[in-house]
Amino acid sequence: MPIVIFQLPDGTERKVTAESGTALMQAAVSNGVDGIVAECGGNASCATCHVYVDEQHTALVGPPNGVEEEMLDFTAAERRATSRLSCQVRLSDALDGLVVHVPEEQV
Amino acid sequence: MSTPTTAAPGAPVVDFDLAQLRRDPYPAYAELRRTAPLAWVPSVGRHLLTRYGDIVHAEKLPEVFSSREQGSLLLRTVGPNLLREDGAEHRLLRAGAEPPTRPRQVRDLWADAFEKNAHDLLERIAGRGEADLVADFAEPLAAANLALVLGLRNATADDIAEWSRAMMAANGNYADDPDVWLRAERATDAIEEAVAEIAGAVRREPDGSVISSMVHADMALSAIQNNVKVVIGGGVNEPRDVFGVGAQALLNRPDVRDRVLADPSLWKRVFEETARWVSPIGMYPRQLVQDHEIAGVALPAGSRVALVIASGNRDESVFERADEFDIDRPHRPHLAFGGGPHFCMGAWVARHEVSGLAWPLVFSRLKGLRLDDGTEDHMEGWVFRGLTSLHVTWQAA
Ligand code: HEM
Ligand code: FES
């Protein structure tokens, strides 16, 4: 049961416990983390579940997949090297302690 | 599964005059949000769900709120299609159809041709000095762009617009008017024929269009035909209505217009705020496949619910002064494109054709553009809502 820490734009953080195998987006939505909108419910079609993975974890989380890669060009907040769509990141025990930053805006 | 066509036990019953709802649904919605956020409305035959939070909850639970509505008029008109499927079946149909509508494809494949379509239509009216921008520009533009994205090079913009109107009328044909069914049947027959012809051609030579994408995803011809019908039914009015309502809002507010013209990055805000404010699709149906409690009512499996996104988009607990058009309001996600697996497949197409091209072009090309004082344009509709016309004048040069 990995723990994920969401750093919010207002400087606060939310720590949530998630099931291994679920999407990072799902962990945020099920726990009511503000700022992860996820309009399309995880189908990589809306670009409103954008997060910045903390530098210390980017290698572990890995790069975006093909469909996600092109969608990231259309996020509301600027795209950075650490950008991922949280619906395309699958959680596992290896990602326990993952820190991600929620951008200022999603639409 | 039984299909209750009455109120769930414990659900408040509220009825409305549908003609009044068509003129202006917002006072009724405000009252529902306050007093009966889930209410059975006999004249609609569904429970209306009107608060933002409850709608989002339902959108995120497709395994409870099914899109396979029994007795759906859309199914009767169009046949089985992605909009009325759930789960794995839906995912397959959507995966085949969606790629050409993704934002990078819009930019790389369609943007130039969209721009040419907009230019051509504008040149046809530029010399006149007056027009109805809904009928003379926005509708034919949306139809021409749709023909392109679908790959229907054997259909004209007029064909697409007529097919769309005919099917929309049938989807609302609760009065069972035989002429309405007949007109829709002519439209769907014509679409099937046009799609069959193109499907054969793109099988040999893929062209990046939605039909081509579905053919190469090995979808059955009937599935391709039905999905094309849904796209035509749902891809003309909505961009047309956002265009018209947003253009009118800016013409009513020259201060906002001038700011947007000075900073074109604001067109995006105009788009999202207009989509929120008018909600071209005001509500859509779902049917419960298991018992579920929502808005304080225990709904049994089989219950019919309408997610009234037009009401969620005016929910004052989420949007301050929600009835005002305000491009500077804090960014909160609106519900106009729906949510969950059926999130609008054309969102990126609509955003680009309206806010990336049509508005900037019209406002820069037509000098001295203003509303025509002599005519009365009004909004209409609650299932679908928009301006029925937008009469404007400008200095023809
Ligand atoms: C501003 C313009 C538009 C608005 C507000 C809009 C709104 C919506 C909404 C609310 C839904 C969800 C309906 C439901 O869940 O039952 C939807 C679905 C859909 N829209 Fe749009 N739409 C727009 C433009 C377009 C365009 C231009 C196209 C075609 C290119 C299109 C194609 C579709 C399709 C195919 C679906 C079904 C998706 C699915 O079932 O997976 N829409 N739209
Ligand atoms: S939830 Fe829509 S792209 Fe991730």
Side-chain angles (χ1 to χ4, degrees):
Chain A
M1 299 262 280
I3 289 179
V4 182
I5 296 156
F6 292 90
Q7 303 268 0
L8 304 183
D10 66 1
T12 61
E13 65 173 46
R14 283 287 313 276
K15 197 178 267 192
V16 311
T17 308
E19 294 280 338
S20 266
T22 58
L24 175 58
M25 176 280 281
Q26 202 54 54
V29 170
S30 311
N31 290 282
V33 174
D34 271 343
I36 304 294
V37 177
E39 279 173 338
C40 75
N43 294 293
S45 11
C46 71
T48 64
C49 64
H50 181 201
V51 294
Y52 303 118
V53 176
D54 196 84
E55 307 268 347
Q56 56 177 322
H57 296 130
T58 43
L60 196 60
V61 172
N65 63 43
V67 179
E68 177 188 0
E69 163 56 40
E70 58 169 87
M71 214 63 189
L72 281 168
D73 281 349
F74 299 88
T75 51
E78 63 161 344
R79 176 178 187 169
R80 298 182 196 150
T82 57
S83 286
R84 290 292 312 263
L85 294 179
S86 58
C87 67
Q88 302 300 306
V89 176
R90 205 138 295 280
L91 293 171
S92 65
D93 289 330
L95 291 179
D96 186 33
L98 174 66
V99 178
V100 299
H101 304 267
V102 176
E104 199 75 55
E105 52 184 39
Q106 297 283 8
V107 281
Chain B
M1 189 171 64
S2 69
T3 310
T5 45
T6 51
V13 178
V14 182
D15 215 0
F16 295 116
D17 171 11
L18 291 187
Q20 174 57 33
L21 221 50
R22 267 196 296 278
R23 272 192 301 277
D24 179 9
Y26 293 111
Y29 293 160
E31 182 65 20
L32 287 180
R33 286 195 301 275
R34 216 167 23 246
T35 61
L38 180 111
W40 175 260
V41 180
S43 51
V44 180
R46 294 192 174 93
H47 300 86
L48 264 51
L49 191 62
T50 44
R51 282 186 189 159
Y52 183 97
D54 292 330
I55 295 168
V56 171
H57 171 87
E59 285 179 339
K60 297 267 155 79
L61 271 183
E63 53 285 6
V64 175
F65 292 86
S66 166
S67 291
R68 289 191 186 125
E69 200 201 28
Q70 291 171 327
S72 141
L73 291 184
L74 178 71
L75 274 182
R76 170 165 177 183
T77 319
V78 161
N81 65 83
L82 83 168
L83 191 58
R84 289 286 171 267
E85 276 296 348
D86 292 332
E89 287 84 356
H90 169 258
R91 260 194 306 282
L92 266 179
L93 294 171
R94 172 92 183 214
E98 185 186 272
T101 63
R102 301 177 74 88
R104 187 176 285 175
Q105 276 67 14
V106 171
R107 187 186 63 197
D108 295 348
L109 281 179
W110 315 121
D112 288 347
F114 282 4
E115 190 168 355
K116 183 175 180 316
N117 285 345
H119 263 287
D120 290 353
L121 277 163
L122 211 53
E123 287 318 310
R124 291 221 307 244
I125 57 171
R128 279 172 27 189
E130 52 86 25
D132 167 2
L133 285 182
V134 171
D136 299 337
F137 179 73
E139 180 167 295
L141 177 63
N145 289 351
L146 210 54
L148 208 68
V149 173
L150 285 169
L152 284 177
R153 39 198 147 83
N154 51 357
T156 65
D158 284 345
D159 292 335
I160 302 269
E162 162 54 25
W163 295 340
S164 184
R165 280 190 296 264
M167 287 188 293
M168 298 279 270
N171 295 339
N173 190 18
Y174 296 100
D176 217 13
D177 178 344
D179 288 343
V180 172
W181 295 128
L182 206 67
R183 179 176 168 213
E185 217 176 281
R186 272 200 299 273
T188 51
D189 286 350
I191 294 171
E192 285 177 14
E193 201 177 310
V195 172
E197 186 187 347
I198 297 293
V202 295
R203 185 174 299 283
R204 296 181 295 275
E205 262 182 80
D207 65 359
S209 69
V210 169
I211 294 176
S212 177
S213 173
M214 290 193 286
V215 164
H216 291 278
D218 287 328
M219 284 166 57
L221 180 60
S222 63
I224 298 174
Q225 288 165 323
N226 293 352
N227 282 351
V228 169
K229 292 175 209 165
V230 167
V231 173
I232 292 176
V236 179
N237 284 24
E238 294 76 10
R240 175 198 72 190
D241 293 340
V242 170
F243 174 91
V245 171
Q248 189 193 46
L250 290 195
L251 292 170
N252 275 323
R253 294 282 304 277
D255 55 323
V256 183
R257 179 201 59 201
D258 292 346
R259 272 178 56 211
V260 175
L261 291 181
D263 176 5
S265 72
L266 290 175
W267 284 117
K268 179 175 166 357
R269 299 258 49 99
V270 177
F271 184 93
E272 302 304 331
E273 175 62 355
T274 307
R276 178 196 74 82
W277 195 56
V278 63
S279 300
I281 296 184
M283 67 104 173
Y284 53 82
R286 291 291 187 264
Q287 190 165 13
L288 270 71
V289 289
Q290 62 189 64
D291 300 353
H292 191 77
E293 184 179 327
I294 189 159
V297 178
L299 288 175
S303 298
R304 291 164 179 277
V305 178
L307 310 193
V308 189
I309 52 178
S311 170
N313 277 339
R314 298 284 184 108
D315 189 330
E316 40 291 287
S317 69
V318 177
F319 304 103
E320 265 181 55
R321 298 168 290 99
D323 288 335
E324 281 174 38
F325 177 87
D326 175 9
I327 66 166
D328 300 313
R329 63 174 60 257
H331 304 180
R332 299 295 305 268
H334 63 71
L335 309 177
F337 285 124
H342 296 274
F343 174 76
C344 178
M345 196 182 94
W348 301 96
V349 169
R351 285 178 170 132
H352 190 70
E353 67 184 337
V354 176
S355 66
L357 293 169
W359 281 331
L361 188 67
V362 164
F363 277 82
S364 64
R365 172 75 178 82
L366 303 179
K367 302 294 175 211
L369 184 66
R370 53 201 297 268
L371 296 172
D372 183 347
D373 302 328
T375 51
E376 201 46 53
D377 299 308
H378 65 275
M379 301 227 211
E380 197 178 276
W382 67 285
V383 177
F384 303 104
R385 189 167 177 82
L387 279 167
T388 54
S389 59
L390 180 61
H391 291 94
V392 295
T393 63
W394 63 90
Q395 294 138 25

